[in-house]
Amino acid sequence: MTSSNASTRASDVLVRPFSLGGLDLPNRIVMAPMTREFSPGGVPGADVAAYYARRAAGGVGLIITEGTYVDHASAGTSDRVPRFHGADALAGWTAVAEAVHAADGAIMPQLWHVGMTRAAGAPPIADAPRVGPSGIPLSGSAQGHTMTLSDIDDVIAAFTTAAAAAEACGFDGIELHGAHGYLIDQFLWSHTNRRDDSYGGDITSRTRFATEIVAACRKAVSPDFPILFRMSQWKSDHYQARLAESPAELEAFLTPLAAAGVDAFHCSTRRFWLPEFEGSELNLAGWAKKLTGKATISVGSVGLDNEFIEVFQGRTGRVSDITGLLERMERDEFDLIAIGRALLNDPLWADKILHGRTNELTPIGPHKFATLR
C-alpha cells in the first residue's frame, strides 16, 4: 500500500464522527490519561492548559486528563498530581477546559482515588491512612485501613461531588478510574477484596462499590453528560492479574456498571492487538462492546513497537505502522482508540497520522517524560 493510500485509509477510518451521550466528537482519536506531576500543590497551571490545548489543536478528538484526586484525605500520594477539588484547583481546571475548547477540542477529567497504593506518610495529607476494601495491599505485607460502610459512603460522595464540579467547570464528561489496582479496582479484584458483606464475594458483588459510584455520579450530572469507566485486567506490578477468566465473568462484571449509567468503557490493555480470551480475536474493548452494547475505547502501544513498561525501563519505543489498528476499527470491533506515549511525545501525532506525514513521527524514550511539552 502506498503512503497516499495508507493516509486515505487512516483518514477514512479515524475521521468518523462519534457521539457519547450529548457529546459529538469529530473523530475516533482519544488522548489517554497519563500522570505527569506538573501541578505543584495539586493546582494545574497555564502550562498544563497549554499542554492539553496543543493536543486538541493537533487533531485529537477527545482528551482524557491525567488522574485527578477526588476530595478524600486518602485519595492521593503526591502533591504534584492535580486534585479535582478546592477553589484554586477548580479554577485551574476551568482554564484548562477553556483552553481546550478554544482549540476546538473536547476534554474530560479522570477522577481518581489511589486506595492502598498510597505511600504511608505521603502528601498531600501526610497523616491520612492507606485505605482499601480489606486493607490489603496489591503486594507486600504492609496492611492498611479496612473501609467501613461510612468510609465507603464518604468516597462515593467525593466522586459524586467531583463529577458535578466537572460539569460546572465546563468539561465535556468524566472518566472514573476503575483500573490498574487503584481503589475502585481494589474492590473489583478478589486478591484485594476479602470482604464478607455486600461489597465482597463473587464478581457481581465486588462490583457494587463501582456501580454505586457510577449511579451517584449519573444523578449528579445532566442526563446526557457522558460517564466513562476505565477498567483493566492487569494491575500495577501484577501484569497477569485478571478480573474475568471468561466472557461470562466479564459480562457479570460489566452489566451492572452499564445499567448504572456508564456511557463507554475504556478498556486498558498493554497491547491492543492481543486477544482477551481463547477462541476469539476480540480484544478486551471488543468483548466489552459485544457483551454490553456500550461504546468502548481501546488502548495499548498504538504506533509503537513496545509497551510502556519497557520505556520506563529505558528502551526507546520505535515508530510502527497502524495497519492492525485500522483493520480492527474498520470492522467496528471497538469505537474509539486512545493514544498515550505517542501523543506525549508529539502533540501533532493525530494530524500527522491523518494527513500522511508519518515520516515525521519520531521514537519516544524515557527523557520525553521529563518535561511538559
Side-chain angles (χ1 to χ4, degrees), residues 35 41-42 77 85 94 96 106-107 142 170 190 218 220-221 224-225 247 277 282 291 300 302 330 345 348 350:
T35 297
T77 193
H85 60 90
T94 298
V96 171
I107 185 168
S190 60
R218 180 76 280 159
V221 298
D224 61 351
F225 190 72
F277 302 114
L282 292 178
L291 294 171
V302 175
E330 282 171 338
N345 181 55
L348 297 178

Side-chain angles (χ1 to χ4, degrees), residues 257-269:
L257 290 164
V262 169
D263 292 285
F265 290 101
H266 187 176
C267 302
S268 178
T269 56

Side-chain angles (χ1 to χ4, degrees), residues 4-356:
S4 176
N5 288 340
S7 175
T8 299
R9 184 184 186 190
S11 181
D12 288 345
V13 174
L14 297 174
V15 183
R16 291 180 293 164
F18 192 77
S19 296
L20 288 171
L23 176 64
D24 295 326
L25 301 174
N27 63 49
R28 304 300 180 100
I29 300 174
V30 178
M31 181 177 180
M34 292 173 283
T35 297
R36 303 307 314 279
E37 296 197 68
F38 284 91
S39 297
V43 179
D47 56 343
V48 175
Y51 164 76
Y52 287 119
R54 280 192 289 273
R55 275 73 189 170
V60 174
L62 172 64
I63 292 169
I64 303 173
T65 74
E66 61 208 286
T68 69
Y69 297 148
V70 297
D71 189 8
H72 185 262
S74 301
T77 193
S78 168
D79 61 359
R80 293 186 60 83
V81 167
R83 49 187 161 85
F84 212 83
H85 60 90
D88 52 353
L90 293 179
W93 280 120
T94 298
V96 171
E98 290 172 347
V100 168
H101 291 155
D104 295 325
I107 185 168
M108 301 181 183
Q110 186 188 71
L111 306 181
W112 188 22
H113 191 304
V114 302
M116 287 295 299
T117 66
R118 170 176 161 75
I125 301 176
D127 60 353
R130 306 163 76 223
V131 303
S134 303
I136 297 172
L138 274 67
S139 58
S141 58
Q143 298 295 302
H145 170 70
T146 297
M147 293 173 67
T148 66
L149 295 181
S150 178
D151 294 329
I152 288 173
D153 289 343
D154 288 345
V155 172
I156 293 172
F159 275 98
T160 306
T161 300
E167 187 169 24
C169 289
F171 281 83
D172 300 294
I174 59 167
E175 177 168 280
L176 301 172
H177 197 340
H180 306 162
Y182 297 113
L183 181 64
I184 294 176
D185 198 17
Q186 288 161 25
F187 274 84
L188 299 173
W189 193 26
S190 60
H191 176 77
T192 46
N193 185 346
R194 311 288 178 82
R195 300 177 71 97
D196 57 8
D197 63 4
S198 58
Y199 290 94
D202 63 18
I203 183 62
T204 302
S205 298
R206 296 197 306 272
T207 306
R208 179 180 173 185
F209 178 64
T211 300
E212 290 185 353
I213 291 174
V214 172
C217 290
R218 180 76 280 159
K219 291 180 180 179
V221 298
S222 301
D224 61 351
F225 190 72
I227 296 176
L228 278 54
F229 188 90
R230 196 171 209 213
M231 56 84 61
S232 68
Q233 298 265 40
W234 65 274
K235 322 299 171 197
S236 299
D237 296 326
H238 292 264
Y239 300 115
Q240 304 307 312
R242 298 179 70 81
L243 293 177
E245 296 289 348
S246 67
E249 289 186 354
L250 185 63
E251 185 174 21
F253 157 53
L254 295 177
T255 298
L257 290 164
V262 169
D263 292 285
F265 290 101
H266 187 176
C267 302
S268 178
T269 56
R270 294 162 67 197
R271 305 170 185 88
F272 78 87
W273 56 87
L274 294 182
E276 191 58 37
F277 302 114
E278 290 186 9
S280 169
E281 290 300 311
L282 292 178
N283 70 6
L284 185 60
W287 274 109
K289 180 177 180 178
K290 178 178 180 178
L291 294 171
T292 68
K294 294 290 186 177
T296 59
I297 306 170
S298 190
V299 68
S301 304
V302 175
L304 297 170
D305 73 341
N306 66 355
E307 53 97 21
F308 70 97
I309 292 300
E310 293 173 313
V311 173
F312 283 119
Q313 293 171 342
R315 181 189 161 196
T316 295
R318 293 184 295 272
V319 174
S320 63
D321 70 50
I322 61 169
T323 300
L325 170 67
L326 298 179
E327 290 173 350
R328 288 175 181 263
M329 297 195 75
E330 282 171 338
R331 58 180 182 259
D332 291 323
E333 179 178 336
F334 42 82
D335 302 291
L336 301 162
I337 186 65
I339 312 299
R341 289 169 295 144
L343 267 174
L344 185 153
N345 181 55
D346 185 352
L348 297 178
W349 183 89
D351 187 72
K352 291 175 182 178
I353 287 290
L354 296 175
H355 296 97

